[in-house]
Amino acid sequence: MGKIVAANWKMNLRRQSGCELASALKTDGRECWLFPSFTLLAPIADTLIGGTLKLGAQDLSPELDGAFTGDVSAEMLGDAGCTMVLVGHSERRHGHGEQGELLLRKLKRAAEAGLKPLYCVGETLEEREAGRAKEVVKEHLSVLKDLQGTCAAVAYEPVWAIGTGLTATPEQAAEMHAFIRDELTKLGLTDLPILYGGSVKPGNAKDLMTQPHVDGVLVGGASLKLDSLRAIDDVAREIG
Ligand code: 13P
């Protein structure tokens, strides 16, 4: 498999801008994984029919159906055209207090509904400075032990590099990705791709994606504009 480019649009874009971006990527024949906001999923799914782009949501409920106001179930996401879903993004872990048991329930629910999770892990600056980065990432990964073969990929997103303009150096990314690769092997998950996320831009994508065990990138801010997303995808294609 070539390098993977995934776009997390977070709480950005509208129906017109999102559909235009998705349809331009489709016309280019790009193979991105797109994670738009809930309201954009169904219209974008219609745009993507027949192309190679994959559609995912940014979150899901751990519950099946029922009285859960404001939540969206895995089955609803499948119904809207999703095949994937983000789980454990740091903005959910830190902004909404999601962790361990809840994330495991979400991962299981996604798998039961036939959605492939992209599971995100990563340490805060405080944890890195305290020398605990690997310990934290290992703990985040530990929930995958009962989920053989259900995830699409893991994304390493150091919290201090998300939306801050700070990027892990290629060496820092390489060290953590090698660690994650070892941990996944211990969990029996030998083939799971590992993406890097955190201020990925056209200018740093090559240095990051050429590191060992960096199988692609999960892009936030730079995925909101066609030019920068195309430029990152061009790098991915060039590396192959
Ligand atoms: P930025 O690329 O904006 O730093 O966001 C990264 C991210 O959180 C992707 O999920």
Side-chain angles (χ1 to χ4, degrees):
M1 194 199 295
K3 300 288 175 186
I4 296 161
V5 176
N8 176 8
W9 290 350
K10 308 190 179 184
M11 199 170 72
N12 292 296
L13 304 181
R14 300 289 183 272
R15 184 194 291 243
Q16 188 175 346
S17 49
C19 287
E20 277 174 10
L21 185 47
S23 95
L25 294 166
K26 180 185 160 187
T27 310
D28 282 355
R30 308 271 160 173
E31 293 181 7
C32 275
W33 297 352
L34 292 186
F35 296 91
S37 60
F38 287 131
T39 57
L40 298 184
L41 292 172
I44 287 182
D46 292 341
T47 309
L48 299 187
I49 288 168
T52 52
L53 291 156
K54 288 193 180 148
L55 188 65
Q58 297 171 15
D59 186 32
L60 79 162
S61 168
E63 307 290 344
L64 260 173
D65 271 311
F68 301 100
T69 302
D71 290 346
V72 180
S73 75
E75 278 73 11
M76 290 171 179
L77 297 179
D79 193 37
C82 292
T83 54
M84 306 183 71
V85 63
L86 292 180
V87 176
H89 192 280
S90 75
E91 285 150 19
R92 303 296 314 172
R93 289 182 192 268
H94 299 289
H96 296 264
E98 297 191 2
Q99 52 184 329
E101 183 58 27
L102 175 65
L103 296 177
L104 180 59
R105 288 177 60 215
K106 290 189 176 197
L107 288 165
K108 286 186 171 161
R109 205 64 276 298
E112 283 160 11
L115 298 175
K116 288 270 188 190
L118 170 46
Y119 180 64
C120 305
V121 302
E123 81 286 358
T124 63
L125 185 59
E126 204 181 23
E127 289 161 344
R128 176 162 279 263
E129 287 178 346
R132 296 184 51 234
K134 288 182 180 163
E135 177 195 328
V136 169
V137 166
K138 182 174 176 169
E139 200 240 305
H140 289 173
L141 291 172
S142 66
V143 301
L144 297 179
K145 66 178 180 298
D146 298 327
L147 290 160
Q148 299 298 325
T150 58
C151 283
V154 164
Y156 169 56
E157 299 206 299
V159 179
W160 47 273
I162 295 179
T164 57
L166 293 174
T167 316
T169 62
E171 296 72 28
Q172 284 172 321
E175 185 183 353
M176 189 58 91
H177 278 241
F179 175 75
I180 293 172
R181 174 59 64 219
D182 281 351
E183 289 303 310
L184 290 176
T185 302
K186 285 185 208 158
L187 295 171
L189 299 165
T190 43
D191 295 332
L192 210 51
I194 309 168
L195 313 188
Y196 170 81
S199 297
V200 175
K201 307 257 180 312
N204 60 23
K206 185 167 188 178
D207 282 347
L208 290 162
M209 274 193 271
T210 46
Q211 297 307 311
H213 308 297
V214 177
D215 302 311
V217 285
L218 176 55
V219 188
S223 73
L224 298 173
K225 292 260 170 9
L226 184 58
D227 285 357
S228 46
L229 188 52
R230 264 187 186 147
I232 292 168
D233 193 56
D234 286 342
V235 171
R237 288 173 181 226
E238 185 191 311
I239 298 169

